[in-house]
PDB file of all heavy atoms in Angstrom:
ATOM      1  N   TYR A 310      12.662 -12.801 -24.617  1.00  0.00           N
ATOM      2  CA  TYR A 310      13.465 -12.935 -25.836  1.00  0.00           C
ATOM      3  C   TYR A 310      13.315 -14.384 -26.274  1.00  0.00           C
ATOM      4  O   TYR A 310      13.782 -15.285 -25.580  1.00  0.00           O
ATOM      5  CB  TYR A 310      14.930 -12.601 -25.576  1.00  0.00           C
ATOM      6  CG  TYR A 310      15.198 -11.124 -25.422  1.00  0.00           C
ATOM      7  CD1 TYR A 310      15.612 -10.600 -24.204  1.00  0.00           C
ATOM      8  CD2 TYR A 310      15.049 -10.253 -26.504  1.00  0.00           C
ATOM      9  CE1 TYR A 310      15.871  -9.238 -24.068  1.00  0.00           C
ATOM     10  CE2 TYR A 310      15.301  -8.904 -26.379  1.00  0.00           C
ATOM     11  CZ  TYR A 310      15.718  -8.396 -25.167  1.00  0.00           C
ATOM     12  OH  TYR A 310      15.969  -7.056 -25.037  1.00  0.00           O
ATOM     13  N   LYS A 313      12.631 -17.276 -23.792  1.00  0.00           N
ATOM     14  CA  LYS A 313      13.178 -16.928 -22.472  1.00  0.00           C
ATOM     15  C   LYS A 313      12.480 -15.683 -21.920  1.00  0.00           C
ATOM     16  O   LYS A 313      12.608 -14.586 -22.455  1.00  0.00           O
ATOM     17  CB  LYS A 313      14.681 -16.674 -22.572  1.00  0.00           C
ATOM     18  CG  LYS A 313      15.268 -16.321 -21.216  1.00  0.00           C
ATOM     19  CD  LYS A 313      16.771 -16.159 -21.257  1.00  0.00           C
ATOM     20  CE  LYS A 313      17.326 -15.577 -19.971  1.00  0.00           C
ATOM     21  NZ  LYS A 313      16.891 -16.245 -18.747  1.00  0.00           N
ATOM     22  N   VAL A 315      12.371 -12.798 -19.622  1.00  0.00           N
ATOM     23  CA  VAL A 315      13.374 -12.047 -18.856  1.00  0.00           C
ATOM     24  C   VAL A 315      12.702 -11.286 -17.714  1.00  0.00           C
ATOM     25  O   VAL A 315      13.176 -11.302 -16.577  1.00  0.00           O
ATOM     26  CB  VAL A 315      14.154 -11.071 -19.767  1.00  0.00           C
ATOM     27  CG1 VAL A 315      15.164 -10.268 -18.958  1.00  0.00           C
ATOM     28  CG2 VAL A 315      14.865 -11.844 -20.875  1.00  0.00           C
ATOM     29  N   GLY A 333      20.482  -7.356  -8.825  1.00  0.00           N
ATOM     30  CA  GLY A 333      20.442  -8.717  -9.338  1.00  0.00           C
ATOM     31  C   GLY A 333      21.757  -9.108  -9.958  1.00  0.00           C
ATOM     32  O   GLY A 333      22.533  -8.248 -10.362  1.00  0.00           O
ATOM     33  N   PRO A 334      21.996 -10.415 -10.048  1.00  0.00           N
ATOM     34  CA  PRO A 334      23.256 -10.881 -10.636  1.00  0.00           C
ATOM     35  C   PRO A 334      23.256 -10.691 -12.156  1.00  0.00           C
ATOM     36  O   PRO A 334      22.244 -10.286 -12.732  1.00  0.00           O
ATOM     37  CB  PRO A 334      23.283 -12.361 -10.258  1.00  0.00           C
ATOM     38  CG  PRO A 334      21.851 -12.742 -10.128  1.00  0.00           C
ATOM     39  CD  PRO A 334      21.139 -11.525  -9.634  1.00  0.00           C
ATOM     40  N   ASN A 335      24.362 -11.015 -12.763  1.00  0.00           N
ATOM     41  CA  ASN A 335      24.477 -10.967 -14.219  1.00  0.00           C
ATOM     42  C   ASN A 335      23.358 -11.757 -14.879  1.00  0.00           C
ATOM     43  O   ASN A 335      23.073 -12.878 -14.470  1.00  0.00           O
ATOM     44  CB  ASN A 335      25.814 -11.601 -14.624  1.00  0.00           C
ATOM     45  CG  ASN A 335      26.696 -10.598 -15.307  1.00  0.00           C
ATOM     46  OD1 ASN A 335      26.191  -9.647 -15.933  1.00  0.00           O
ATOM     47  ND2 ASN A 335      27.986 -10.794 -15.210  1.00  0.00           N
ATOM     48  N   GLY A 336      22.717 -11.178 -15.864  1.00  0.00           N
ATOM     49  CA  GLY A 336      21.699 -11.898 -16.616  1.00  0.00           C
ATOM     50  C   GLY A 336      20.319 -11.864 -15.989  1.00  0.00           C
ATOM     51  O   GLY A 336      19.377 -12.474 -16.499  1.00  0.00           O
ATOM     52  N   ALA A 337      20.167 -11.137 -14.871  1.00  0.00           N
ATOM     53  CA  ALA A 337      18.878 -11.100 -14.173  1.00  0.00           C
ATOM     54  C   ALA A 337      17.820 -10.322 -14.954  1.00  0.00           C
ATOM     55  O   ALA A 337      16.621 -10.540 -14.770  1.00  0.00           O
ATOM     56  CB  ALA A 337      19.061 -10.485 -12.780  1.00  0.00           C
ATOM     57  N   GLY A 338      18.264  -9.405 -15.814  1.00  0.00           N
ATOM     58  CA  GLY A 338      17.301  -8.611 -16.581  1.00  0.00           C
ATOM     59  C   GLY A 338      17.337  -7.126 -16.254  1.00  0.00           C
ATOM     60  O   GLY A 338      16.435  -6.377 -16.641  1.00  0.00           O
ATOM     61  N   LYS A 339      18.376  -6.685 -15.558  1.00  0.00           N
ATOM     62  CA  LYS A 339      18.485  -5.281 -15.146  1.00  0.00           C
ATOM     63  C   LYS A 339      18.587  -4.347 -16.353  1.00  0.00           C
ATOM     64  O   LYS A 339      17.838  -3.372 -16.454  1.00  0.00           O
ATOM     65  CB  LYS A 339      19.710  -5.089 -14.236  1.00  0.00           C
ATOM     66  CG  LYS A 339      19.707  -5.943 -12.986  1.00  0.00           C
ATOM     67  CD  LYS A 339      20.926  -5.694 -12.130  1.00  0.00           C
ATOM     68  CE  LYS A 339      22.254  -6.054 -12.784  1.00  0.00           C
ATOM     69  NZ  LYS A 339      22.404  -7.492 -13.105  1.00  0.00           N
ATOM     70  N   THR A 340      19.506  -4.668 -17.260  1.00  0.00           N
ATOM     71  CA  THR A 340      19.691  -3.816 -18.435  1.00  0.00           C
ATOM     72  C   THR A 340      18.435  -3.824 -19.299  1.00  0.00           C
ATOM     73  O   THR A 340      18.040  -2.787 -19.844  1.00  0.00           O
ATOM     74  CB  THR A 340      20.920  -4.283 -19.246  1.00  0.00           C
ATOM     75  OG1 THR A 340      22.080  -4.144 -18.420  1.00  0.00           O
ATOM     76  CG2 THR A 340      21.103  -3.461 -20.508  1.00  0.00           C
ATOM     77  N   THR A 341      17.784  -4.970 -19.381  1.00  0.00           N
ATOM     78  CA  THR A 341      16.539  -5.054 -20.141  1.00  0.00           C
ATOM     79  C   THR A 341      15.508  -4.080 -19.560  1.00  0.00           C
ATOM     80  O   THR A 341      14.851  -3.346 -20.310  1.00  0.00           O
ATOM     81  CB  THR A 341      15.992  -6.499 -20.103  1.00  0.00           C
ATOM     82  OG1 THR A 341      16.979  -7.372 -20.669  1.00  0.00           O
ATOM     83  CG2 THR A 341      14.692  -6.616 -20.880  1.00  0.00           C
ATOM     84  N   ALA A 342      15.402  -4.049 -18.240  1.00  0.00           N
ATOM     85  CA  ALA A 342      14.449  -3.122 -17.601  1.00  0.00           C
ATOM     86  C   ALA A 342      14.818  -1.673 -17.899  1.00  0.00           C
ATOM     87  O   ALA A 342      13.950  -0.860 -18.232  1.00  0.00           O
ATOM     88  CB  ALA A 342      14.424  -3.362 -16.085  1.00  0.00           C
ATOM     89  N   GLN A 380      25.318   0.560 -19.371  1.00  0.00           N
ATOM     90  CA  GLN A 380      26.317  -0.323 -18.784  1.00  0.00           C
ATOM     91  C   GLN A 380      27.600  -0.237 -19.592  1.00  0.00           C
ATOM     92  O   GLN A 380      28.697  -0.358 -19.053  1.00  0.00           O
ATOM     93  CB  GLN A 380      25.777  -1.752 -18.765  1.00  0.00           C
ATOM     94  CG  GLN A 380      26.696  -2.704 -18.036  1.00  0.00           C
ATOM     95  CD  GLN A 380      26.050  -4.055 -17.856  1.00  0.00           C
ATOM     96  OE1 GLN A 380      24.953  -4.316 -18.361  1.00  0.00           O
ATOM     97  NE2 GLN A 380      26.720  -4.930 -17.157  1.00  0.00           N
ATOM     98  N   ASP A 456      23.007   2.336 -15.204  1.00  0.00           N
ATOM     99  CA  ASP A 456      23.089   0.875 -15.316  1.00  0.00           C
ATOM    100  C   ASP A 456      24.478   0.412 -14.894  1.00  0.00           C
ATOM    101  O   ASP A 456      25.454   0.588 -15.626  1.00  0.00           O
ATOM    102  CB  ASP A 456      22.778   0.465 -16.763  1.00  0.00           C
ATOM    103  CG  ASP A 456      22.474  -1.025 -16.883  1.00  0.00           C
ATOM    104  OD1 ASP A 456      22.377  -1.705 -15.833  1.00  0.00           O
ATOM    105  OD2 ASP A 456      22.343  -1.506 -18.024  1.00  0.00           O
ATOM    106  N   GLU A 457      24.549  -0.162 -13.725  1.00  0.00           N
ATOM    107  CA  GLU A 457      25.809  -0.643 -13.139  1.00  0.00           C
ATOM    108  C   GLU A 457      26.925   0.396 -13.250  1.00  0.00           C
ATOM    109  O   GLU A 457      27.969   0.142 -13.863  1.00  0.00           O
ATOM    110  CB  GLU A 457      26.223  -1.968 -13.789  1.00  0.00           C
ATOM    111  CG  GLU A 457      25.200  -3.069 -13.551  1.00  0.00           C
ATOM    112  CD  GLU A 457      25.767  -4.465 -13.802  1.00  0.00           C
ATOM    113  OE1 GLU A 457      26.992  -4.637 -13.667  1.00  0.00           O
ATOM    114  OE2 GLU A 457      24.988  -5.365 -14.113  1.00  0.00           O
ATOM    115  N   LEU A 504      15.858  -8.579  -8.107  1.00  0.00           N
ATOM    116  CA  LEU A 504      15.344  -9.218  -9.315  1.00  0.00           C
ATOM    117  C   LEU A 504      15.884 -10.641  -9.402  1.00  0.00           C
ATOM    118  O   LEU A 504      17.101 -10.862  -9.367  1.00  0.00           O
ATOM    119  CB  LEU A 504      15.793  -8.392 -10.532  1.00  0.00           C
ATOM    120  CG  LEU A 504      15.171  -8.688 -11.889  1.00  0.00           C
ATOM    121  CD1 LEU A 504      13.657  -8.566 -11.845  1.00  0.00           C
ATOM    122  CD2 LEU A 504      15.742  -7.733 -12.938  1.00  0.00           C
TER     123      LEU A 504
HETATM  124  N1  ADP B   5      18.629  -8.601 -27.421  1.00  0.00           N
HETATM  125  C1  ADP B   5      18.572  -9.755 -26.768  1.00  0.00           C
HETATM  126  N2  ADP B   5      18.260 -10.903 -27.404  1.00  0.00           N
HETATM  127  C2  ADP B   5      18.168 -12.074 -26.733  1.00  0.00           C
HETATM  128  N3  ADP B   5      18.381 -12.211 -25.428  1.00  0.00           N
HETATM  129  C3  ADP B   5      18.703 -11.132 -24.726  1.00  0.00           C
HETATM  130  C4  ADP B   5      18.808  -9.837 -25.354  1.00  0.00           C
HETATM  131  N4  ADP B   5      19.120  -8.924 -24.399  1.00  0.00           N
HETATM  132  C5  ADP B   5      19.214  -9.621 -23.240  1.00  0.00           C
HETATM  133  N5  ADP B   5      18.959 -10.921 -23.439  1.00  0.00           N
HETATM  134  C6  ADP B   5      18.931 -11.957 -22.382  1.00  0.00           C
HETATM  135  O1  ADP B   5      18.099 -11.506 -21.354  1.00  0.00           O
HETATM  136  C7  ADP B   5      18.623 -11.868 -20.076  1.00  0.00           C
HETATM  137  C8  ADP B   5      18.777 -10.627 -19.235  1.00  0.00           C
HETATM  138  O2  ADP B   5      19.789  -9.815 -19.769  1.00  0.00           O
HETATM  139  P1  ADP B   5      20.160  -8.407 -19.161  1.00  0.00           P
HETATM  140  O3  ADP B   5      18.938  -7.563 -19.077  1.00  0.00           O
HETATM  141  O4  ADP B   5      21.296  -7.858 -19.949  1.00  0.00           O
HETATM  142  O5  ADP B   5      20.623  -8.805 -17.691  1.00  0.00           O
HETATM  143  P2  ADP B   5      21.520  -7.979 -16.640  1.00  0.00           P
HETATM  144  O6  ADP B   5      21.627  -6.575 -17.130  1.00  0.00           O
HETATM  145  O7  ADP B   5      20.797  -8.105 -15.339  1.00  0.00           O
HETATM  146  O8  ADP B   5      22.848  -8.654 -16.586  1.00  0.00           O
HETATM  147  C9  ADP B   5      19.921 -12.592 -20.350  1.00  0.00           C
HETATM  148  O9  ADP B   5      19.682 -13.964 -20.307  1.00  0.00           O
HETATM  149  C10 ADP B   5      20.295 -12.136 -21.739  1.00  0.00           C
HETATM  150  O10 ADP B   5      21.052 -13.130 -22.389  1.00  0.00           O
END
Side-chain angles (χ1 to χ4, degrees):
Y310 285 113
K313 180 176 170 51
V315 178
N335 243 332
K339 302 181 297 297
T340 298
T341 301
Q380 186 172 5
D456 195 7
E457 298 198 26
L504 192 57

